[in-house]
Amino acid sequence: MTTLAASTLALAGGEPVRRTLLPYARQQVAEEDIAAVVAILRSDWLTTGPTVAAFEEALAARVGARFGVAFSSGTAALHAAVFAAGIGPGDEAITTPLTFAATANCLLYQGATPRFADIRPHDLTLDPTRVAAALTPRTRAILPVDYAGHPARLSDFRALADRHGLVLIEDAAHALGAHFGDRPVGSLADLTIFSFHPVKHITTGEGGMVVTDDPLLAARLRRFRTHGIVPSQSAAEPWRYDLIDLGYNYRLPDLNCALGLTQLGRLEANLARRRAIVATYQEAFADLPWLTRPVEEPDVTSAWHLYPIRLNVETLTADRATIFRALRAEGIGVQVHYQPVHLLRLYRERFGYHGGEFPLAEDAAARLLSLPLFPAMTAAEVEDVITAVTKVLRAYAR
Ligand SMILES: *Cc1c(COP(=O)(O)O)cnc(C)c1O
């Protein structure tokens, strides 16, 4: 019975649901974006001109923060946040294993040690109870991730950080426009980072930003972005500058900031479209026994960067890898977010992880599949995803 259904799958030579691959995420570039970038090309400033500050101010205002400092990528923004927090050799910070490698790498860049704590199986974010249990005298920061756009337990992390004198750095690469309670993500942590990679909510090509309310942190971030240089204070010798930190060239050009500004203008519509697609998925998959749908806690508003399902592999005759390939063959560009960071080779070799350390994250990571979700998706594309997921899982039903 299952073999009959499986033979209709594109993987087995059957007719695919789609002839072209629908990606899991894709940027949306409008005519106003193109016009804004072209206007910069005709202006005096290509790199650091007035558009950088305009983008920083607009984004910071949108997320309820005093200062925004733009960077050449979300990864550079994370690196700068760790620098600004004063974290260095001998220091540790605790983050989630279920994230992109950059979240932990930023600590290694500064000679600090990433530690991990397991996740909440419900919303797949870092578990504050487990973080509290993992604190050591060397812990300097907590680095939660708003997985898939769903805010981590920020009130718990805020309390924990305040109680122990730790810095709270939030990786909100997935969560531009999310809320925790009635507060926007960007207004709760000491330093919050966003990414503007094309798969994220708004894009600048490559790009990122750190937002903070602290003027001293903002000054350190700005210095780090430009080599660690401070300009001259001398009227007599105005060529002078000095170098007071080891910084980098992590600047985000005016060209990119112009794109970010027009993209930001469409953020609300983008968030609403994501939410509508998610509502359609949630309803379509409500009665399928072969998967677990993502959740949204009642006290948060997710930004729905991803729509990650978890396969109930016990109810299926195929493993996740087969289902991944079967969906790709149907023209559905599924993706896995993420392989647990501690099990990547660099982390295994440097820290001796071998699996089993964070069983909840490891179990989730083995079941996860992100389905396509981006604002430009048409209703027909959303239906293709639903058709293909239902077709493939039904074919492999135990
Ligand atoms: C995208 C992403 C980053 C890095 O952002 P880049 O702009 O690609 O450097 C960091 N953390 C998470 C969770 C991300 O998804």
Side-chain angles (χ1 to χ4, degrees):
M1 191 173 64
T2 52
T3 47
L4 190 71
S7 70
T8 69
L9 295 180
L11 194 61
E15 196 62 24
V17 172
R18 295 173 52 87
R19 299 236 155 254
T20 57
L21 188 75
L22 181 69
Y24 86 89
R26 187 166 59 202
Q27 71 276 12
Q28 188 181 42
V29 175
E31 285 305 319
E32 62 171 340
D33 298 326
I34 294 167
V37 173
V38 168
I40 299 290
L41 286 170
R42 297 188 200 285
S43 80
D44 290 338
W45 303 94
L46 296 188
T47 56
T48 305
T51 316
V52 177
F55 180 45
E56 289 173 339
E57 282 163 26
L59 194 125
R62 174 60 183 79
V63 302
R66 279 183 72 192
F67 305 103
V69 183
F71 285 89
S72 52
S73 69
T75 303
L78 277 165
H79 185 185
V82 169
F83 166 81
I87 295 168
D91 295 336
E92 298 178 357
I94 302 176
T95 189
T96 168
L98 194 65
T99 186
F100 183 53
T103 313
N105 288 349
C106 63
L107 295 156
L108 295 179
Y109 296 154
Q110 287 303 104
T113 303
R115 297 284 177 207
F116 300 96
D118 216 338
I119 58 167
R120 293 156 37 94
H122 188 57
D123 61 21
L124 307 178
T125 64
L126 185 61
D127 186 337
T129 315
R130 291 172 200 275
V131 170
L135 294 175
T136 78
R138 291 174 181 268
T139 309
R140 294 284 320 282
I142 309 171
L143 221 168
V145 174
D146 302 322
Y147 179 82
H150 190 290
R153 300 312 302 167
L154 296 167
S155 54
D156 293 338
F157 289 124
R158 182 74 271 169
L160 199 58
D162 290 348
R163 186 153 67 248
H164 296 276
L166 310 173
V167 184
L168 182 57
I169 304 173
E170 181 181 356
D171 181 344
H174 295 185
L176 180 60
H179 283 74
F180 187 86
D182 56 7
R183 296 184 61 180
V185 160
S187 69
L188 293 115
D190 298 303
L191 296 143
T192 304
I193 82 100
F194 297 101
S195 164
F196 311 126
H197 181 278
V199 300
K200 307 290 165 64
H201 289 78
I202 68 169
T203 191
T204 58
E206 298 280 0
M209 199 176 294
V210 186
V211 301
T212 182
D213 282 345
D214 184 330
L216 291 174
L217 289 176
R220 285 172 66 86
L221 292 166
R222 287 186 201 291
R223 215 154 63 220
F224 193 70
R225 176 173 67 181
T226 306
H227 307 279
I229 282 175
V230 286
S232 167
Q233 305 295 334
S234 161
E237 298 177 314
W239 66 87
R240 284 199 185 282
Y241 59 83
D242 211 347
L243 181 73
I244 63 172
D245 300 309
L246 181 60
Y248 293 77
N249 178 351
Y250 276 164
R251 293 186 296 267
L252 185 65
D254 257 39
L255 275 172
N256 306 65
C257 290
L259 179 56
L261 262 177
T262 46
Q263 291 260 319
L264 185 60
R266 296 197 304 280
L267 177 62
E268 300 314 318
N270 171 331
L271 290 164
R273 178 67 187 136
R274 287 174 181 275
R275 183 162 284 279
I277 295 168
V278 167
T280 306
Y281 282 160
Q282 294 290 56
E283 200 187 317
F285 299 139
D287 297 326
L288 300 192
W290 312 294
L291 63 82
T292 300
R293 298 171 297 164
V295 300
E296 187 178 39
E297 290 283 17
D299 60 351
V300 312
T301 308
S302 175
W304 290 111
H305 163 55
L306 299 172
Y307 184 81
I309 60 168
R310 274 175 281 176
L311 297 174
N312 298 335
V313 287
E314 299 80 0
T315 67
L316 296 162
T317 58
D319 61 8
R320 194 260 307 266
T322 305
I323 289 164
F324 181 102
R325 290 198 307 274
L327 284 167
R328 283 279 177 106
E330 299 295 340
I332 307 302
V334 288
Q335 191 49 280
V336 172
H337 297 96
Y338 292 93
Q339 302 178 73
V341 176
H342 67 289
L343 297 181
L344 299 173
R345 186 161 114 192
L346 177 83
Y347 284 83
R348 286 178 185 262
E349 290 183 354
R350 231 187 246 198
F351 301 106
Y353 294 116
H354 45 73
E357 288 89 359
F358 307 104
L360 298 172
E362 291 170 27
D363 179 72
R367 298 167 181 270
L368 281 165
L369 273 185
S370 299
L371 304 185
L373 176 60
F374 54 92
M377 269 179 96
T378 64
E381 288 170 336
V382 175
E383 283 311 312
D384 284 348
V385 174
I386 293 168
T387 302
V389 167
T390 309
K391 175 184 174 185
V392 167
L393 295 185
R394 210 182 282 285
Y396 291 122
R398 192 175 279 286

